[in-house]
Amino acid sequence: MIYTPAQVRALTPIREKVEVLAERQPELWDAFLCHAWDDRQDSAKELHELLATQGVSVWFSQQNVSLGVPLMRAIDKGLANSKVGIVLVTPALLNRLRAEGIADKELAVLLRGERLVPILHGASFEDLNDVSPMLASRSGLSTSEESMAQVAAKLAELVAV
């Protein structure tokens, strides 16, 4: 796996948090996947499946919210019980953040710590900066620079203990 110097700087503090959390709470999900509802059947599902094939346990609303379970409470538990948060930044997510929906609430929680990895897919850091300067200030990975499979492999390596 080859990382750019910027990726090493961005991901090293997250990796250190993962190691501490894994030691204290080994039962945690590896990652929480924050995404726009509109992406649940395509890019979010693709990323989830790629991560799952790499052995990463991912809290993904399409898989982990049962019928009749209050959505916000399920999300809250997923956030609390995950080592890292992955934010899949797409044009649809940018629209959802402007509307201050559920993804906006998830993002507010994820921005609190050093456990957040933005994944840009069909969006740029400039687009993101217009909507969420705080999230844009976090370095992450982009599918314009590497394939979704390569991004998933780097995420899998990040959370592996």
Side-chain angles (χ1 to χ4, degrees):
M1 193 76 49
I2 298 171
Y3 293 87
T4 67
Q7 289 174 339
V8 171
R9 282 190 304 277
L11 299 176
T12 297
I14 297 167
R15 174 61 187 188
E16 291 168 355
K17 292 277 186 182
V18 165
E19 290 171 354
V20 169
L21 285 170
E23 189 174 302
R24 286 191 311 193
Q25 297 174 278
E27 72 284 351
L28 294 177
W29 292 95
D30 291 323
F32 178 96
L33 179 56
C34 174
H35 62 89
W37 179 253
D38 304 348
D39 295 326
R40 73 189 182 285
Q41 294 298 326
D42 48 63
S43 55
K45 182 178 179 182
E46 177 187 6
L47 181 57
H48 173 263
E49 289 173 355
L50 287 167
L51 289 167
T53 61
Q54 298 261 349
V56 178
S57 64
V58 181
W59 193 97
F60 180 50
S61 57
Q62 292 300 105
Q63 300 285 327
N64 299 101
V65 179
S66 303
L67 189 62
V69 173
L71 179 62
M72 293 306 292
R73 185 62 189 127
I75 290 170
D76 194 40
K77 286 181 180 179
L79 286 164
N81 292 301
S82 297
K83 295 174 192 166
V84 299
I86 299 167
V87 180
L88 183 61
V89 181
T90 63
L93 182 82
L94 296 174
N95 290 334
R96 294 290 179 165
L97 292 177
R98 284 183 188 99
E100 299 183 6
I102 293 172
D104 187 60
K105 291 171 180 49
E106 293 172 358
L107 179 57
V109 172
L110 293 171
L111 281 168
R112 289 184 35 222
E114 288 292 333
R115 301 183 309 150
L116 170 64
V117 183
I119 306 300
L120 282 92
H121 183 66
S124 68
F125 275 101
E126 293 79 23
D127 298 332
L128 180 56
N129 191 58
D130 292 341
V131 177
S132 178
M134 288 178 69
L135 181 56
S137 72
R138 307 286 178 102
S139 296
L141 304 170
S142 174
T143 61
S144 70
E145 298 168 4
E146 16 192 25
S147 70
M148 186 73 87
Q150 290 169 314
V151 166
K154 286 184 177 182
L155 291 169
E157 191 171 81
L158 177 69
V159 299
V161 180

